[in-house]
Amino acid sequence: MCKTCGCALPRAIDQNSAMQPVGPFRAINVVQDILAANDRTAAHNRTHFDEHGVLAINVMSSPGAGKTALLEATILALKSRYRIAVIEGDLETENDANRIRACGVPAIQITTGTACHLDASLVHQALHDMSLDGIDLLFIENVGNLVCPASFDLGQHLNVTLLSVTEGDDKPAKYPVIFRASDLVVLSKTDLLAVLEDFDPTRAATCLRNLGLETTMIHTAARRVPSIGAWLDWLTAALEHRRAPRSVVFSGATAHQDA
Amino acid sequence: MHELSVCQALLSQVAEIARAQGAAAVEQITIELGPLCGTEPRLLWNAFSAMRCGVAANAELRIKHCSVSIQCLQCEARTETRPNRLVCGKCGGWRTRVIAGDELRLLKVEIRMPPRLSQIAVAAVADSSEKECNYV
């Protein structure tokens, strides 16, 4: 019944879209990394660094782990031997860049607004405001966050992740993605170990080992009496490796994830 | 919350493919996510529901979940494991290689092509309900 009034027809018939002619269907198979566009920009940044002979290091950690303090101590120790520059990433304020500039090296502040990580295009933009001529070492201090920065290649050569002893020693087990992407893990604020009973560096090392990492864990204390010798040795070795003729520094692990 | 950035990258990629194919609409997008890619499937799905636009305004997102597999570089055994335990399930060695579980990939885009001219001739109404796209 009702072929005349149309009440038995599917409801969709009432909608404009159902009246439209429908073209043929097609399935396109693609196998593409979703972050391919970011990776292309990152590769472009890396070429830029390589052309200028700059070693670029992406420094990551949770907020307050002591990234800026470590960079300040590092700059004071190395600025007579190497020319250093810093790109700072924070949601707001110019505070960290000001701290770096006070150490006598150029710093560009990227304020991300509400974005929880730096990406390759933000770094690329910052590079337009910065001359890399004569720079040996560029630190990119990422937004304090143990989750989001791990997914975005910036064009760095090496990833360094800080783990402060005021955090839990099981952080590598809780945040495997970022620690797995690290070329080096720096244990920071180790001068506080004496008064912090619940952080066991051996347990942190075991968590890292469980991620299948050969990554070494270097102990540092950047405040009061700085103790950053092993970190400076690692940096110097990476810089010298970079300076060797036609050498290619081992690429950052984030850049390798899809290899 | 970086799922918004990942979603934006996905929508740009899909829009580019749709443009290259001359598609009228994207019906379904299939992606593959591993636990080690750093992107949470549920949050990405939520982001997609809020952000889909333009030619993909009515697209469905299908997420294929992958598990983590590693291969031991010593005994060569392949084992399935958890994201934070990447040591060999057979010999316990920690020198391993992740062979699956870090995927963040677009696999398939299913599109509807524009109707043929003969079909257009009989069409009475055009649907202009597409959301404006700010992302591509």
Side-chain angles (χ1 to χ4, degrees):
Chain A
M1 66 184 251
C2 281
K3 279 186 181 165
T4 42
C5 84
C7 73
L9 292 172
R11 253 179 353 148
I13 201 78
D14 296 332
Q15 297 170 6
N16 283 345
S17 58
M19 296 294 286
Q20 281 193 15
V22 176
F25 172 83
R26 203 178 275 178
I28 316 294
N29 287 311
V30 274
V31 180
Q32 277 178 17
D33 287 330
I34 291 173
L35 294 177
N38 180 76
D39 292 348
R40 277 194 296 276
T41 309
H44 175 75
N45 291 347
R46 195 172 288 115
T47 305
H48 204 52
F49 298 141
D50 289 342
E51 283 169 359
H52 287 81
V54 176
L55 174 68
I57 299 184
N58 177 26
V59 184
M60 302 181 285
S61 79
S62 51
K67 293 184 293 300
T68 314
L70 179 65
L71 294 187
E72 287 171 313
T74 306
I75 290 162
L76 294 177
L78 292 183
K79 72 174 177 181
S80 59
R81 289 167 63 195
Y82 301 103
R83 273 180 289 187
I84 303 172
V86 179
I87 293 175
E88 285 286 345
D90 280 298
L91 270 64
E92 289 295 346
T93 83
E94 189 94 4
N95 295 353
D96 285 0
N98 286 336
R99 282 170 63 184
I100 297 297
R101 288 181 199 123
C103 298
V105 304
I108 299 284
Q109 179 79 51
I110 301 174
T111 46
T112 60
T114 53
C116 46
H117 59 275
L118 293 180
D119 66 18
S121 66
L122 286 170
V123 170
H124 185 250
Q125 255 169 19
L127 291 176
H128 283 293
D129 298 327
M130 168 179 263
S131 169
L132 290 178
D133 292 337
I135 298 292
D136 301 304
L137 176 59
L138 174 71
F139 289 111
I140 305 167
E141 186 184 330
N142 218 313
V143 177
N145 182 337
L146 280 182
V147 184
C148 312
S151 298
F152 296 85
D153 187 8
L154 308 178
Q156 76 281 355
H157 299 103
L158 295 165
N159 277 329
V160 171
T161 304
L162 271 68
L163 169 61
S164 71
V165 302
T166 51
E167 303 171 54
D169 51 22
D170 57 351
K171 276 278 167 78
K174 289 178 173 168
Y175 300 87
V177 177
I178 201 162
F179 283 99
R180 199 175 81 83
S182 308
D183 296 287
L184 176 76
V185 175
V186 170
L187 196 62
S188 60
K189 309 186 187 181
T190 51
D191 48 340
L192 297 177
L193 273 174
V195 291
L196 294 169
E197 290 169 0
D198 47 358
F199 191 99
D200 179 358
T202 316
R203 208 152 47 209
T206 305
C207 290
L208 280 176
R209 192 46 67 88
N210 283 342
L211 298 180
L213 290 180
E214 196 160 9
T215 305
T216 35
M217 195 167 65
I218 282 176
H219 290 221
T220 61
R223 293 272 188 218
R224 293 181 293 192
V225 187
S227 165
I228 57 170
W231 157 246
L232 295 180
D233 290 347
W234 182 87
L235 269 180
T236 310
L239 279 159
E240 294 308 320
H241 185 83
R242 180 105 190 111
R243 280 183 166 182
R246 300 195 62 79
S247 73
V248 178
V249 173
F250 26 105
S251 282
T254 14
H256 270 218
Q257 273 181 1
D258 303 315
Chain B
M1 67 173 282
H2 65 289
E3 280 77 9
L4 291 174
S5 304
V6 173
C7 184
Q8 192 172 326
L10 172 65
L11 285 168
S12 299
Q13 216 166 27
V14 167
E16 186 54 45
I17 291 166
R19 201 165 22 233
Q21 295 286 333
V26 175
E27 296 198 340
Q28 188 159 275
I29 301 164
T30 309
I31 62 169
E32 180 177 42
L33 289 193
L36 282 171
C37 79
T39 296
E40 186 56 37
R42 192 174 45 84
L43 296 180
L44 182 61
W45 197 89
N46 288 346
F48 182 83
S49 302
M51 292 171 78
R52 60 187 177 167
C53 58
V55 74
N58 296 309
E60 293 296 321
L61 179 65
R62 269 191 62 218
I63 301 179
K64 195 180 150 201
H65 301 266
C66 309
S67 50
V68 180
S69 292
I70 53 168
Q71 179 166 30
C72 181
L73 298 180
Q74 284 140 313
C75 76
E76 297 193 341
R78 289 176 176 223
T79 41
E80 205 167 289
T81 184
R82 318 191 293 269
N84 62 1
R85 184 146 182 92
L86 304 178
V87 294
C88 177
K90 198 175 169 202
C91 76
W94 57 270
R95 285 193 170 84
T96 59
R97 189 169 65 89
V98 172
I99 52 176
D102 58 358
E103 301 83 355
L104 178 57
R105 277 196 296 243
L106 172 61
L107 294 182
K108 198 176 5 169
V109 182
E110 291 164 60
I111 55 175
R112 185 65 65 180
M113 297 303 287
R116 293 187 183 92
L117 282 175
S118 57
Q119 292 173 290
I120 295 174
V122 296
V125 190
D127 182 4
S128 56
S129 66
E130 276 188 358
K131 275 196 284 177
E132 196 184 329
C133 184
N134 299 315
Y135 304 109
V136 288

